[in-house]
Amino acid sequence: MKALVTGASSGIGRDIARSLAARGCSLILTARREERLHALAEELPVPVRVLPADLTDRAQVRGLYEAVRGEDIDILVNNAGRGVFGPFDETSLEEELALLDVNIVAIHMLMKLFVPDLKAKGRGHILNVASSAAFLPGPLLSSYYASKAYVLRLSQAVAEELRRAGSGVKVSVLCPGPVRTEFDQVAGVSFSVSGLQSQAVAEYAVTRMLQGRLLILPGAGTKAVHVLQRVVPDKLLARACWHVQRRKQG
């Protein structure tokens, strides 16, 4: 097997790469920080190709696909993501547009480009990393929460299309709660609850992906959020989320 992993320089993406490598999967790793990708490549016991790219740039996203389209990719892991914390009327428009480019546009483009190739092969996996945020309104992290809802719904819709077509290609979407990575530092937040371990989330995600699971919910807390959003009115969820989010200010 061969996998392309975006956002592989740290956090869940790096640990997903490690988990896939432990299963003998050769890798193509991409992120902006090339030196970190090379450091990861040196520790992995499988062939690794490093392709640095800035996924806020649509030309680089397309260039990434063109660079690997002949390599018979079996697994696409869309992990790269960004967050911006603060009231919607105060946060930077430029930072939020970059967030949308990475969290939505890049994932959409890579799925759009890879799905026909995988479908033609009749097999393969796409793992999109969303968040438990996808189930909730997210005041003070509004763009991030909304972007993850897009990832969740796109994943579910494409998975159903592939199922109806009788395709062996499986789409999975990972929706973890807080995970201890560099994400919170970059987004400018400090989690008020203890996060899950990135390595454990990655291993769980890869196992469930290879089993063909659509919705991957690591941890009891994430499963509880999924249940609550079905029974609690959105207005109350938004108010509760605001109280949780305001404690995240670093």
Side-chain angles (χ1 to χ4, degrees), residues 28-235:
I28 301 170
L29 306 178
T30 187
R32 290 177 299 165
R33 294 175 291 188
E34 184 174 0
E35 70 285 351
R36 288 200 176 192
L37 296 177
H38 283 293
L40 176 60
E42 290 177 4
E43 76 173 61
L44 298 177
V46 294
V48 179
R49 182 181 178 188
V50 168
L51 285 175
D54 181 353
L55 299 188
T56 64
D57 184 339
R58 296 182 188 186
Q60 291 193 44
V61 176
R62 189 175 290 275
L64 175 64
Y65 168 74
E66 294 296 338
V68 304
R69 66 182 304 184
E71 297 204 26
D72 197 23
I73 300 295
D74 301 290
I75 300 170
L76 168 65
V77 179
N78 281 312
N79 167 77
R82 288 190 176 191
V84 177
F85 181 86
F88 185 75
D89 62 330
E90 296 179 10
T91 48
S92 163
L93 176 60
E94 289 71 25
E95 289 183 10
E96 288 191 331
L97 290 176
L99 177 156
L100 298 176
D101 282 335
V102 175
N103 293 14
I104 293 179
V105 175
I107 288 177
H108 188 109
M109 288 181 65
L110 289 173
M111 284 189 70
K112 191 78 170 178
L113 294 167
F114 275 102
V115 164
D117 295 345
L118 294 172
K119 193 174 178 181
K121 288 173 59 172
R123 58 181 172 81
H125 294 274
I126 296 174
L127 174 61
N128 293 327
V129 178
S131 167
S132 60
F135 305 126
L136 301 166
L140 302 181
L141 274 167
S142 56
S143 298
Y144 175 76
Y145 274 57
S147 72
K148 293 305 182 180
Y150 183 94
V151 173
L152 172 63
R153 294 309 188 190
L154 181 67
S155 301
Q156 291 172 321
V158 175
E160 177 63 10
E161 291 176 3
L162 290 167
R163 187 188 73 81
R164 296 259 176 190
S167 174
V169 180
K170 303 297 183 182
V171 178
S172 301
V173 56
L174 172 63
C175 297
V179 180
R180 287 298 172 185
T181 67
E182 295 177 11
F183 173 86
D184 48 336
Q185 301 169 22
V186 175
V189 302
S190 177
F191 287 119
S192 56
V193 297
S194 178
L196 299 169
Q197 292 295 320
S198 176
Q199 300 94 323
V201 171
E203 180 63 25
Y204 184 84
V206 170
T207 298
R208 293 296 185 269
M209 174 195 71
L210 293 175
Q211 291 172 347
R213 301 288 184 88
L214 171 56
L215 189 59
I216 303 175
L217 304 173
T222 305
K223 293 178 175 67
V225 168
H226 187 226
V227 172
L228 280 174
Q229 63 91 26
R230 295 183 175 189
V231 298
V232 178
D234 287 345
K235 183 182 291 187

Side-chain angles (χ1 to χ4, degrees), residues 85-86 137-142 145 237-243 245-246:
F85 181 86
L140 302 181
L141 274 167
S142 56
Y145 274 57
L237 288 173
R239 291 176 180 177
C241 285
W242 185 86
H243 285 289
Q245 306 290 47
R246 70 188 180 115

